[in-house]
Amino acid sequence: MAIVNTHYLNLPGNYLFSEIAKRVQTHAAAHPDAKLIRLGIGDVTSPLPPSVIAALHRAVDEQATAEGFRGYGPEQGYPFLRETVAASCYHGLGIQPDEIFISDGAKCDIGNFQELFATDCRVAITDPVYPVYADSNVMAGRGGAMPPESPENGRFSGLIYLPCTAENAFVPSLPEKRPDLIYLCYPNNPTGTVLTKEELAQWVAYAREHECIIFFDAAYEAFIHTPDIPRSIYEIDGARDVAVEFRSYSKGAGFTGLRCGFAVVPKTVYGRPAAGKGGKSGSIALHGLWNRRQTTKYNGCPYIVQRAAEAVHSPEGQRETRVVIAEYMDNAGLIRRCFEDLGMSVAGGIDAPYVWVRIPRGMDSWTFFDLLLQRAGIVGTPGSGFGPSGRGYFRLTGFGGRENTREAVERLRRLSL
Ligand code: PLP
């Protein structure tokens, strides 16, 4: 038998989500008539905006004509979408269309980008956070050992964790030990918090001084409402030399099933070869490496999907997506206010669709999960699924639909938490 990649065996099983499914199933079997409200999901529920649907139909019809038919497209994305993205998302920020790589979503880009780096690069992640950053690096052999006794809550010894809790107002401290690669996700999944320009500028300055690369995951930028919160890391001077940015059409425009996103790889971000293998200047542009990677392993996002993504940037697309986002944010606001009124400590729900609740003292994540499930019929996500510093917290989302969210909030208010 062939030997499998040992690093995969270091990954914790998907204990959290299978345990949630098991408990929900048991509850549903015991209460077949009870209506469950699922506020744990990170998936959207509103249909695609009309202008996106119209663009899809047009692009499908083109495929029936000899002139309009498209076979393989450019691996980096069609120029029409790269140009639209550069103009509408990065106007005045110096990002060129050929620095934008269209893809089938941010998850793949984020999971794949670490491939460009040596196995012994040191990686820092904020904690709690979207699990793909840690897991993709563990798969690549950068995780080191995970204490076997704590598969749900443990830390990988090879990763640098930057805790974000109520104690530091969810703002990570700069690392004590220099990492090579730093993952930042703002607005944050799961805490729903953001960084101010000044806070993000400290990271850019740190990365410049210590020659680190920042992976900036801006999948939720469309949800930012507070003025002056940066939507892109390139709003910070100097970021174009140290940061790669990832964006997604999933949450803001409802593309979770359609699949489209992009990575921004400025030509001015460099890595270096291993000692003794230098090129002329001893530095290697990530832009060329990512282009090489994508042209080898990816055959491009479908033409019809790229036309749909283009429609998101049109004035109608922007108007329509704003309405949907406002509804998700109203839902998140309702949940947030409800927990505040119940006297609980809560973050998020202002610039992100996630509400991050501190579980009352004396209760652990699963006791709180069971309490909401059994006494209110509400399904949320225990915070420990997002990293060790998520212990003691719980995530609810604004994606659950207006009526469901209203009903959930009424049920929560009737509970004496
Ligand atoms: N980044 C973050 C922080 C996310 O929460 C998600 C999805 O939940 C993604 C990226 C994935 O986005 P996509 O659907 O574009 O793959």
Side-chain angles (χ1 to χ4, degrees):
M1 274 193 280
I3 299 171
V4 300
N5 178 346
T6 315
H7 306 309
Y8 274 59
L9 309 182
N10 291 334
L11 289 166
N14 215 337
Y15 163 74
L16 180 93
F17 291 98
S18 57
E19 184 61 24
I20 290 176
K22 208 167 81 191
R23 290 184 190 217
V24 170
Q25 251 169 22
T26 309
H27 179 82
H31 306 87
D33 298 326
K35 179 184 164 196
L36 273 184
I37 302 180
R38 294 172 196 272
L39 298 183
I41 48 162
D43 199 356
V44 296
T45 46
S46 288
L48 288 163
S51 55
V52 168
I53 294 293
L56 281 169
H57 280 298
R58 279 195 303 273
V60 168
D61 286 343
E62 280 182 63
Q63 303 314 299
T65 66
E67 318 77 60
F69 170 73
R70 308 287 174 132
Y72 290 123
E75 294 91 341
Q76 305 83 353
Y78 283 97
F80 67 78
L81 185 54
R82 302 175 91 187
E83 281 158 20
T84 300
V85 168
S88 49
C89 304
Y90 297 103
H91 179 72
L93 299 181
I95 297 296
Q96 302 305 313
D98 65 353
E99 294 176 315
I100 289 156
F101 291 79
I102 309 296
S103 71
D104 58 356
K107 188 185 206 173
C108 310
D109 289 343
I110 293 163
N112 292 331
F113 213 90
Q114 50 73 31
E115 271 183 43
L116 305 191
F117 298 91
T119 311
D120 55 2
C121 275
R122 274 204 310 245
V123 173
I125 56 168
T126 57
D127 168 35
V129 86
Y130 184 51
V132 173
Y133 315 149
D135 288 0
S136 57
N137 279 288
V138 170
M139 289 171 172
R142 297 189 193 95
M146 156 73 92
E149 71 279 6
S150 55
E152 188 190 351
N153 297 326
R155 288 165 181 251
F156 287 98
S157 59
L159 302 180
I160 301 170
Y161 290 80
L162 308 168
C164 298
T165 59
E167 282 66 36
N168 60 6
F170 302 98
V171 178
S173 302
L174 294 169
E176 282 164 18
K177 238 168 55 181
R178 176 196 167 270
D180 297 289
L181 310 173
I182 301 166
Y183 288 81
L184 296 178
C185 173
Y186 289 99
N188 189 265
N189 176 12
T191 66
T193 56
V194 288
L195 289 186
T196 63
K197 253 188 191 147
E198 295 68 33
E199 285 160 350
L200 189 53
Q202 285 185 12
W203 284 93
V204 170
Y206 179 90
R208 291 179 67 88
E209 185 186 340
H210 295 87
E211 299 191 335
C212 318
I213 289 166
I214 297 177
F215 297 139
F216 192 72
D217 183 348
Y220 295 93
E221 66 68 42
F223 294 84
I224 294 175
H225 282 74
T226 306
D228 295 333
I229 294 297
R231 288 164 180 271
S232 165
I233 195 165
Y234 306 117
E235 291 176 39
I236 310 297
D237 282 344
R240 282 203 308 134
D241 300 329
V242 291
V244 172
E245 179 164 295
F246 302 98
R247 290 221 195 166
S248 168
Y249 291 91
S250 283
K251 309 301 167 96
F255 277 48
T256 52
L258 207 52
R259 311 301 307 142
C260 193
F262 56 87
V264 184
V265 191
K267 292 187 187 132
T268 41
V269 186
Y270 292 94
R272 67 174 174 82
K277 305 219 169 96
K280 256 195 274 165
S281 64
S283 55
I284 296 176
L286 299 190
H287 184 274
L289 289 187
W290 183 242
N291 191 52
R292 188 73 176 85
R293 191 263 170 216
Q294 291 297 80
T295 49
T296 301
K297 295 194 180 181
Y298 184 56
N299 248 343
C301 177
Y303 171 75
I304 58 174
V305 175
Q306 293 192 54
R307 281 293 182 201
E310 182 189 32
V312 172
H313 298 283
S314 69
E316 312 80 69
Q318 286 295 289
R319 260 196 307 277
E320 291 161 2
T321 50
R322 267 200 298 273
V323 171
V324 177
I325 289 169
E327 186 173 319
Y328 292 144
M329 291 311 298
D330 281 351
N331 296 341
L334 278 177
I335 300 169
R336 182 188 163 101
R337 277 190 300 283
C338 170
F339 281 109
E340 279 172 348
D341 292 347
L342 294 170
M344 292 171 70
S345 158
V346 53
I350 294 170
D351 292 305
Y354 295 118
V355 179
W356 190 240
V357 184
R358 191 161 200 173
I359 295 171
R361 274 191 209 293
M363 252 191 244
D364 68 22
S365 307
W366 286 111
T367 311
F368 192 69
F369 177 90
D370 288 338
L371 180 111
L372 291 197
L373 178 64
Q374 285 161 14
R375 292 190 32 214
I378 295 172
V379 184
T381 312
S384 51
F386 301 97
S389 296
R391 260 175 289 179
Y393 291 86
F394 204 74
R395 191 191 78 173
L396 292 165
T397 84
F399 290 130
R402 184 165 282 176
E403 284 319 307
N404 278 342
T405 307
R406 285 211 179 112
E407 190 176 336
V409 164
E410 276 168 29
R411 293 184 190 182
L412 284 169
R413 287 187 188 278
R414 285 199 295 268
L415 276 184
S416 37
L417 285 169

Coordinates of all heavy atoms in Angstrom, one line a residue, residues 17-99:
F17 N -18.5 19.6 14.1 CA -19.7 19.6 13.3 C -20.4 18.2 13.3 O -21.6 18.2 13.3 CB -19.4 20.1 11.9 CG -19.0 21.6 12.0 CD1 -17.7 22.0 12.0 CD2 -20.0 22.5 12.1 CE1 -17.3 23.3 12.1 CE2 -19.7 23.9 12.2 CZ -18.4 24.3 12.2
S18 N -19.7 17.2 13.5 CA -20.4 15.9 13.6 C -21.1 15.8 14.9 O -22.2 15.3 15.0 CB -19.4 14.7 13.4 OG -18.4 14.7 14.3
E19 N -20.5 16.3 16.0 CA -21.2 16.3 17.3 C -22.4 17.2 17.2 O -23.5 16.8 17.8 CB -20.2 16.8 18.4 CG -20.7 16.8 19.8 CD -21.0 15.4 20.3 OE1 -20.5 14.4 19.8 OE2 -21.9 15.3 21.2
I20 N -22.3 18.4 16.6 CA -23.5 19.2 16.4 C -24.6 18.4 15.7 O -25.8 18.4 16.2 CB -23.2 20.5 15.7 CG1 -22.3 21.4 16.5 CG2 -24.5 21.3 15.2 CD1 -21.8 22.7 15.8
A21 N -24.3 17.8 14.6 CA -25.3 17.1 13.8 C -25.9 16.0 14.7 O -27.1 15.8 14.6 CB -24.6 16.5 12.6
K22 N -25.1 15.3 15.4 CA -25.6 14.2 16.3 C -26.6 14.7 17.3 O -27.7 14.2 17.4 CB -24.4 13.5 17.0 CG -24.7 12.1 17.3 CD -23.4 11.3 17.7 CE -23.1 11.6 19.2 NZ -21.7 11.2 19.6
R23 N -26.2 15.8 18.0 CA -27.1 16.3 19.0 C -28.4 16.9 18.4 O -29.5 16.7 19.0 CB -26.4 17.4 19.8 CG -25.3 16.8 20.7 CD -24.6 17.8 21.6 NE -23.5 17.3 22.2 CZ -23.0 17.5 23.4 NH1 -23.7 18.3 24.2 NH2 -21.9 16.9 23.9
V24 N -28.3 17.5 17.2 CA -29.5 18.1 16.6 C -30.4 16.9 16.2 O -31.6 17.0 16.4 CB -29.1 19.0 15.4 CG1 -30.3 19.3 14.5 CG2 -28.4 20.2 15.9
Q25 N -29.8 15.9 15.6 CA -30.6 14.7 15.2 C -31.4 14.1 16.3 O -32.5 13.8 16.3 CB -29.7 13.6 14.6 CG -29.8 13.5 13.1 CD -28.7 12.6 12.6 OE1 -28.1 11.8 13.3 NE2 -28.4 12.8 11.3
T26 N -30.7 13.9 17.5 CA -31.3 13.3 18.6 C -32.4 14.1 19.1 O -33.5 13.7 19.4 CB -30.2 13.2 19.8 OG1 -29.1 12.5 19.2 CG2 -30.7 12.4 21.0
H27 N -32.2 15.5 19.1 CA -33.3 16.4 19.6 C -34.5 16.3 18.6 O -35.6 16.2 19.1 CB -32.7 17.8 19.7 CG -33.7 18.8 20.1 ND1 -34.0 19.0 21.4 CD2 -34.5 19.6 19.4 CE1 -35.0 19.9 21.5 NE2 -35.3 20.3 20.3
A28 N -34.2 16.3 17.3 CA -35.3 16.3 16.3 C -36.1 15.0 16.4 O -37.3 15.1 16.3 CB -34.7 16.6 14.9
A29 N -35.4 13.9 16.7 CA -36.1 12.6 16.8 C -37.0 12.6 18.0 O -38.1 12.1 18.0 CB -35.1 11.5 16.9
A30 N -36.6 13.3 19.1 CA -37.4 13.3 20.3 C -38.5 14.3 20.3 O -39.5 14.2 21.0 CB -36.5 13.6 21.5
H31 N -38.3 15.3 19.4 CA -39.3 16.4 19.3 C -39.7 16.6 17.8 O -39.4 17.7 17.3 CB -38.8 17.7 19.9 CG -38.3 17.6 21.3 ND1 -37.1 17.2 21.6 CD2 -39.0 17.7 22.5 CE1 -36.9 17.1 22.9 NE2 -38.1 17.4 23.5
P32 N -40.3 15.6 17.2 CA -40.5 15.7 15.7 C -41.3 16.9 15.3 O -41.2 17.4 14.2 CB -41.2 14.4 15.4 CG -41.7 13.8 16.7 CD -40.9 14.4 17.8
D33 N -42.2 17.5 16.2 CA -43.0 18.6 15.7 C -42.4 20.0 16.0 O -42.9 21.0 15.6 CB -44.4 18.5 16.4 CG -45.1 17.3 16.0 OD1 -44.9 16.8 14.9 OD2 -45.8 16.7 16.9
A34 N -41.3 20.0 16.8 CA -40.7 21.2 17.2 C -39.9 21.9 16.0 O -39.3 21.2 15.2 CB -39.7 21.0 18.3
K35 N -40.1 23.2 15.8 CA -39.4 23.9 14.7 C -38.0 24.3 15.2 O -37.9 25.1 16.2 CB -40.2 25.1 14.3 CG -39.5 25.9 13.2 CD -40.3 27.1 12.9 CE -39.4 28.1 12.0 NZ -39.9 29.4 12.0
L36 N -37.0 23.8 14.5 CA -35.6 24.2 14.9 C -35.2 25.4 14.1 O -35.5 25.5 12.9 CB -34.7 23.0 14.5 CG -34.4 21.9 15.5 CD1 -33.4 21.0 14.9 CD2 -33.9 22.5 16.8
I37 N -34.5 26.3 14.7 CA -34.0 27.5 14.0 C -32.5 27.4 14.0 O -31.8 27.4 15.0 CB -34.5 28.8 14.7 CG1 -36.0 28.8 14.7 CG2 -33.9 30.0 13.9 CD1 -36.6 30.1 15.4
R38 N -31.9 27.3 12.8 CA -30.5 27.1 12.6 C -29.8 28.4 12.4 O -29.9 29.0 11.4 CB -30.2 26.2 11.4 CG -30.7 24.8 11.7 CD -30.6 23.9 10.4 NE -31.5 22.8 10.6 CZ -31.1 21.6 11.1 NH1 -29.8 21.5 11.6 NH2 -31.9 20.6 11.2
L39 N -29.1 28.9 13.5 CA -28.3 30.1 13.4 C -26.9 29.9 13.5 O -26.1 30.7 13.9 CB -28.8 31.1 14.5 CG -30.3 31.6 14.4 CD1 -30.6 32.6 15.4 CD2 -30.6 32.1 13.0
G40 N -26.5 28.6 13.2 CA -25.1 28.3 13.4 C -24.4 28.3 12.0 O -23.2 28.4 11.9
I41 N -25.2 28.4 11.0 CA -24.6 28.2 9.6 C -23.9 29.5 9.2 O -24.2 30.6 9.5 CB -25.6 27.8 8.6 CG1 -26.8 28.8 8.7 CG2 -26.0 26.4 8.7 CD1 -27.7 28.8 7.5
G42 N -22.8 29.3 8.3 CA -22.2 30.4 7.7 C -22.6 30.5 6.2 O -22.0 31.2 5.4
D43 N -23.7 29.8 5.9 CA -24.2 29.9 4.5 C -25.3 30.9 4.4 O -26.0 31.2 5.3 CB -24.7 28.5 4.1 CG -24.8 28.4 2.5 OD1 -24.5 29.4 1.8 OD2 -25.1 27.3 2.1
V44 N -25.4 31.5 3.2 CA -26.4 32.5 3.0 C -27.7 31.9 2.7 O -27.8 30.7 2.3 CB -26.0 33.5 1.8 CG1 -24.8 34.3 2.2 CG2 -25.8 32.7 0.5
T45 N -28.8 32.6 2.8 CA -30.2 32.1 2.6 C -31.0 32.8 1.5 O -31.9 32.3 1.0 CB -31.0 32.0 3.9 OG1 -30.8 33.3 4.5 CG2 -30.5 30.9 4.8
S46 N -30.6 34.1 1.2 CA -31.3 34.8 0.2 C -31.0 34.4 -1.2 O -29.8 34.0 -1.5 CB -31.0 36.3 0.3 OG -31.5 36.8 1.5
P47 N -31.9 34.4 -2.1 CA -31.6 34.0 -3.5 C -30.7 35.0 -4.1 O -30.5 36.2 -3.6 CB -33.0 34.0 -4.2 CG -33.9 34.7 -3.3 CD -33.3 34.7 -1.9
L48 N -30.1 34.7 -5.3 CA -29.2 35.6 -6.0 C -29.9 36.8 -6.5 O -31.1 36.7 -6.8 CB -28.6 34.8 -7.2 CG -27.6 33.8 -6.8 CD1 -27.3 32.8 -8.0 CD2 -26.2 34.4 -6.4
P49 N -29.2 38.0 -6.5 CA -29.9 39.2 -6.9 C -30.3 39.1 -8.4 O -29.6 38.4 -9.2 CB -28.8 40.3 -6.8 CG -27.7 39.6 -5.9 CD -27.8 38.1 -6.1
P50 N -31.4 39.8 -8.8 CA -31.9 39.7 -10.2 C -30.9 40.1 -11.2 O -30.8 39.4 -12.3 CB -33.1 40.8 -10.2 CG -33.5 40.9 -8.7 CD -32.3 40.6 -7.9
S51 N -30.0 41.1 -11.0 CA -29.0 41.4 -12.0 C -28.0 40.3 -12.2 O -27.5 40.1 -13.3 CB -28.3 42.7 -11.7 OG -27.8 42.6 -10.4
V52 N -27.8 39.5 -11.2 CA -26.8 38.4 -11.3 C -27.5 37.3 -12.1 O -26.9 36.7 -13.0 CB -26.4 37.9 -9.9 CG1 -25.7 36.5 -10.0 CG2 -25.5 38.9 -9.2
I53 N -28.8 37.0 -11.8 CA -29.5 36.0 -12.6 C -29.6 36.4 -14.0 O -29.4 35.6 -14.9 CB -31.0 35.9 -12.0 CG1 -30.9 35.3 -10.5 CG2 -31.8 35.0 -12.8 CD1 -30.4 33.9 -10.4
A54 N -29.9 37.7 -14.3 CA -30.0 38.1 -15.7 C -28.6 37.9 -16.4 O -28.6 37.5 -17.6 CB -30.4 39.6 -15.8
A55 N -27.5 38.2 -15.8 CA -26.2 38.1 -16.4 C -25.9 36.6 -16.6 O -25.3 36.2 -17.7 CB -25.1 38.7 -15.5
L56 N -26.4 35.7 -15.7 CA -26.2 34.3 -15.9 C -26.9 33.8 -17.2 O -26.4 33.1 -18.0 CB -26.7 33.5 -14.7 CG -25.8 33.5 -13.5 CD1 -26.5 32.9 -12.3 CD2 -24.5 32.6 -13.7
H57 N -28.2 34.2 -17.3 CA -29.0 33.8 -18.4 C -28.3 34.3 -19.7 O -28.2 33.5 -20.7 CB -30.4 34.4 -18.3 CG -31.3 33.7 -17.4 ND1 -31.6 32.3 -17.6 CD2 -31.9 34.0 -16.2 CE1 -32.4 31.9 -16.6 NE2 -32.6 32.9 -15.8
R58 N -27.9 35.5 -19.7 CA -27.3 36.1 -21.0 C -26.0 35.2 -21.3 O -25.8 34.8 -22.5 CB -26.9 37.5 -20.8 CG -28.0 38.5 -20.9 CD -27.4 40.0 -21.1 NE -26.6 40.4 -20.0 CZ -27.0 41.0 -18.9 NH1 -28.3 41.2 -18.7 NH2 -26.2 41.3 -17.9
A59 N -25.2 35.0 -20.3 CA -24.0 34.2 -20.6 C -24.3 32.8 -21.0 O -23.5 32.2 -21.8 CB -23.1 34.3 -19.3
V60 N -25.3 32.2 -20.4 CA -25.7 30.8 -20.9 C -26.1 30.8 -22.3 O -25.7 30.0 -23.1 CB -26.8 30.3 -20.0 CG1 -27.4 29.0 -20.6 CG2 -26.3 30.0 -18.6
D61 N -26.9 31.8 -22.7 CA -27.4 31.9 -24.1 C -26.2 32.1 -25.0 O -26.3 31.5 -26.1 CB -28.4 33.1 -24.2 CG -29.8 32.7 -23.6 OD1 -30.0 31.5 -23.3 OD2 -30.6 33.6 -23.3
E62 N -25.3 32.9 -24.6 CA -24.1 33.0 -25.5 C -23.4 31.7 -25.8 O -22.9 31.5 -26.9 CB -23.0 33.9 -24.8 CG -23.3 35.4 -24.8 CD -22.1 36.1 -24.1 OE1 -20.9 36.0 -24.6 OE2 -22.3 36.7 -23.0
Q63 N -23.5 30.8 -24.9 CA -22.8 29.5 -25.1 C -23.5 28.7 -26.2 O -22.9 27.7 -26.7 CB -22.8 28.7 -23.8 CG -22.1 29.3 -22.7 CD -20.8 30.0 -23.1 OE1 -19.9 29.3 -23.5 NE2 -20.8 31.3 -23.0
A64 N -24.7 29.1 -26.6 CA -25.4 28.3 -27.7 C -25.1 28.9 -29.1 O -25.6 28.4 -30.1 CB -26.9 28.4 -27.5
T65 N -24.2 29.9 -29.1 CA -23.9 30.5 -30.4 C -22.4 30.2 -30.7 O -21.6 30.2 -29.8 CB -24.1 32.0 -30.4 OG1 -23.2 32.6 -29.5 CG2 -25.5 32.3 -30.0
A66 N -22.1 30.2 -32.0 CA -20.7 29.9 -32.4 C -19.8 31.1 -31.9 O -18.7 30.9 -31.5 CB -20.6 29.8 -33.9
E67 N -20.3 32.3 -32.0 CA -19.5 33.5 -31.7 C -19.3 33.6 -30.1 O -18.3 34.1 -29.6 CB -20.1 34.8 -32.1 CG -20.7 34.9 -33.5 CD -22.1 34.2 -33.6 OE1 -23.0 34.6 -32.9 OE2 -22.2 33.2 -34.3
G68 N -20.4 33.2 -29.4 CA -20.4 33.4 -28.0 C -19.8 32.3 -27.2 O -19.5 32.4 -26.0
F69 N -19.7 31.1 -27.8 CA -19.2 29.9 -27.1 C -17.8 30.2 -26.5 O -16.9 30.7 -27.2 CB -19.2 28.7 -28.0 CG -18.5 27.5 -27.4 CD1 -19.1 26.8 -26.3 CD2 -17.2 27.2 -27.7 CE1 -18.5 25.8 -25.7 CE2 -16.6 26.1 -27.1 CZ -17.2 25.4 -26.1
R70 N -17.6 29.7 -25.3 CA -16.3 29.8 -24.6 C -15.8 28.4 -24.2 O -16.6 27.8 -23.5 CB -16.3 30.7 -23.4 CG -16.9 32.1 -23.6 CD -16.0 32.9 -24.4 NE -16.6 34.2 -24.7 CZ -16.1 35.4 -24.5 NH1 -14.8 35.5 -24.0 NH2 -16.7 36.5 -24.8
G71 N -14.6 28.1 -24.5 CA -14.0 26.9 -24.0 C -13.2 27.3 -22.8 O -13.6 28.0 -22.0
Y72 N -11.9 26.7 -22.8 CA -11.0 27.1 -21.7 C -10.9 28.6 -21.7 O -10.6 29.2 -22.7 CB -9.7 26.5 -21.9 CG -9.6 25.0 -21.7 CD1 -9.1 24.1 -22.7 CD2 -9.9 24.4 -20.5 CE1 -9.0 22.8 -22.6 CE2 -9.8 23.0 -20.3 CZ -9.4 22.2 -21.4 OH -9.3 20.8 -21.2
G73 N -10.9 29.2 -20.5 CA -10.7 30.6 -20.4 C -9.3 30.8 -19.8 O -8.6 29.8 -19.4
P74 N -8.9 32.1 -19.6 CA -7.6 32.3 -19.0 C -7.6 31.8 -17.5 O -8.6 32.1 -16.9 CB -7.4 33.8 -19.1 CG -8.6 34.4 -19.8 CD -9.6 33.3 -20.0
E75 N -6.6 31.1 -17.1 CA -6.6 30.6 -15.7 C -6.7 31.7 -14.7 O -7.2 31.5 -13.6 CB -5.3 29.8 -15.5 CG -5.1 28.6 -16.3 CD -4.4 28.8 -17.6 OE1 -4.3 29.9 -18.1 OE2 -3.9 27.8 -18.1
Q76 N -6.2 32.9 -15.1 CA -6.2 34.0 -14.1 C -7.5 34.8 -14.1 O -7.7 35.7 -13.3 CB -5.1 35.0 -14.5 CG -3.7 34.5 -14.7 CD -3.5 33.8 -16.1 OE1 -4.4 33.7 -16.9 NE2 -2.3 33.5 -16.3
G77 N -8.5 34.4 -15.0 CA -9.7 35.1 -15.1 C -9.8 36.0 -16.3 O -8.8 36.3 -16.9
Y78 N -11.0 36.2 -16.8 CA -11.2 37.1 -18.0 C -10.8 38.5 -17.7 O -11.2 39.0 -16.6 CB -12.7 37.0 -18.5 CG -12.9 35.7 -19.2 CD1 -13.5 34.6 -18.5 CD2 -12.6 35.5 -20.5 CE1 -13.8 33.4 -19.2 CE2 -12.8 34.3 -21.2 CZ -13.4 33.3 -20.5 OH -13.7 32.1 -21.2
P79 N -10.2 39.2 -18.7 CA -9.9 40.6 -18.5 C -11.1 41.4 -18.1 O -10.9 42.3 -17.2 CB -9.3 41.0 -19.8 CG -8.8 39.7 -20.4 CD -9.7 38.6 -20.0
F80 N -12.3 41.1 -18.6 CA -13.4 42.0 -18.2 C -13.6 42.0 -16.7 O -14.0 43.1 -16.1 CB -14.7 41.6 -19.0 CG -15.3 40.3 -18.6 CD1 -16.1 40.1 -17.5 CD2 -15.1 39.2 -19.5 CE1 -16.6 38.9 -17.2 CE2 -15.7 37.9 -19.1 CZ -16.4 37.8 -18.0
L81 N -13.5 40.9 -16.0 CA -13.7 40.8 -14.6 C -12.5 41.4 -13.8 O -12.7 42.2 -12.9 CB -14.1 39.4 -14.1 CG -14.4 39.3 -12.6 CD1 -15.6 40.3 -12.3 CD2 -14.8 37.9 -12.3
R82 N -11.3 41.1 -14.3 CA -10.1 41.6 -13.6 C -10.1 43.1 -13.6 O -9.8 43.8 -12.6 CB -8.8 41.1 -14.2 CG -8.8 39.5 -14.2 CD -7.6 39.0 -14.9 NE -6.5 38.8 -14.1 CZ -5.2 38.5 -14.5 NH1 -5.0 38.4 -15.8 NH2 -4.2 38.4 -13.6
E83 N -10.5 43.7 -14.8 CA -10.5 45.2 -14.9 C -11.7 45.8 -14.0 O -11.5 46.8 -13.4 CB -10.7 45.6 -16.4 CG -9.4 45.4 -17.2 CD -9.6 45.3 -18.7 OE1 -10.7 45.7 -19.2 OE2 -8.7 44.8 -19.3
T84 N -12.8 45.1 -14.0 CA -13.9 45.6 -13.2 C -13.6 45.6 -11.7 O -13.8 46.5 -11.0 CB -15.2 44.7 -13.5 OG1 -15.5 44.8 -14.8 CG2 -16.4 45.2 -12.6
V85 N -12.9 44.5 -11.3 CA -12.5 44.4 -9.9 C -11.5 45.5 -9.5 O -11.7 46.2 -8.5 CB -11.9 43.0 -9.6 CG1 -11.3 43.0 -8.2 CG2 -13.0 41.9 -9.6
A86 N -10.5 45.7 -10.4 CA -9.5 46.7 -10.1 C -10.1 48.0 -10.0 O -9.8 48.8 -9.1 CB -8.4 46.7 -11.2
A87 N -11.1 48.3 -10.9 CA -11.7 49.7 -10.9 C -12.7 49.8 -9.7 O -12.7 50.9 -9.1 CB -12.4 49.9 -12.2
S88 N -13.4 48.8 -9.4 CA -14.5 49.0 -8.4 C -14.0 48.7 -7.0 O -14.5 49.3 -6.1 CB -15.8 48.3 -8.8 OG -15.6 47.0 -9.1
C89 N -13.1 47.8 -6.8 CA -12.7 47.5 -5.4 C -11.4 48.2 -5.0 O -11.1 48.4 -3.9 CB -12.5 46.0 -5.2 SG -13.9 45.0 -5.6
Y90 N -10.5 48.6 -6.0 CA -9.2 49.1 -5.7 C -8.9 50.4 -6.3 O -7.7 50.7 -6.5 CB -8.1 48.0 -6.1 CG -8.4 46.7 -5.3 CD1 -9.0 45.6 -5.9 CD2 -8.1 46.6 -3.9 CE1 -9.2 44.5 -5.1 CE2 -8.3 45.5 -3.2 CZ -8.9 44.4 -3.8 OH -9.2 43.3 -3.1
H91 N -9.9 51.1 -6.6 CA -9.7 52.4 -7.3 C -8.8 53.3 -6.4 O -9.1 53.5 -5.2 CB -11.1 53.1 -7.5 CG -10.9 54.5 -8.1 ND1 -10.6 54.6 -9.4 CD2 -11.1 55.7 -7.6 CE1 -10.5 55.9 -9.7 NE2 -10.8 56.6 -8.6
G92 N -7.8 53.8 -6.9 CA -6.9 54.7 -6.2 C -5.9 54.0 -5.2 O -5.2 54.6 -4.5
L93 N -6.0 52.7 -5.2 CA -5.1 51.9 -4.3 C -3.9 51.3 -5.0 O -3.1 50.6 -4.4 CB -5.9 50.8 -3.6 CG -7.0 51.3 -2.7 CD1 -7.7 50.1 -2.0 CD2 -6.6 52.3 -1.6
G94 N -3.8 51.5 -6.3 CA -2.6 51.1 -7.1 C -2.6 49.7 -7.5 O -1.5 49.2 -7.9
I95 N -3.7 49.0 -7.4 CA -3.7 47.6 -7.8 C -4.1 47.5 -9.2 O -5.1 48.1 -9.7 CB -4.8 46.8 -6.9 CG1 -4.3 46.8 -5.4 CG2 -4.9 45.3 -7.4 CD1 -3.0 46.1 -5.1
Q96 N -3.3 46.8 -10.0 CA -3.5 46.6 -11.5 C -4.4 45.4 -11.8 O -4.3 44.4 -11.0 CB -2.2 46.5 -12.2 CG -1.3 47.7 -11.9 CD -1.9 49.0 -12.3 OE1 -2.5 49.2 -13.3 NE2 -1.8 50.0 -11.4
P97 N -5.1 45.4 -12.9 CA -6.0 44.2 -13.2 C -5.2 42.9 -13.3 O -5.6 41.9 -12.9 CB -6.5 44.6 -14.6 CG -6.5 46.1 -14.6 CD -5.4 46.5 -13.8
D98 N -3.9 43.0 -13.7 CA -3.2 41.7 -13.8 C -2.6 41.3 -12.5 O -1.9 40.2 -12.4 CB -2.1 41.8 -14.9 CG -1.0 42.8 -14.6 OD1 -1.1 43.5 -13.6 OD2 0.0 42.8 -15.3
E99 N -2.9 42.0 -11.4 CA -2.5 41.5 -10.1 C -3.7 40.8 -9.4 O -3.6 40.4 -8.3 CB -2.1 42.7 -9.2 CG -0.8 43.3 -9.8 CD -0.3 44.6 -9.0 OE1 -1.1 45.5 -8.8 OE2 0.9 44.7 -8.8

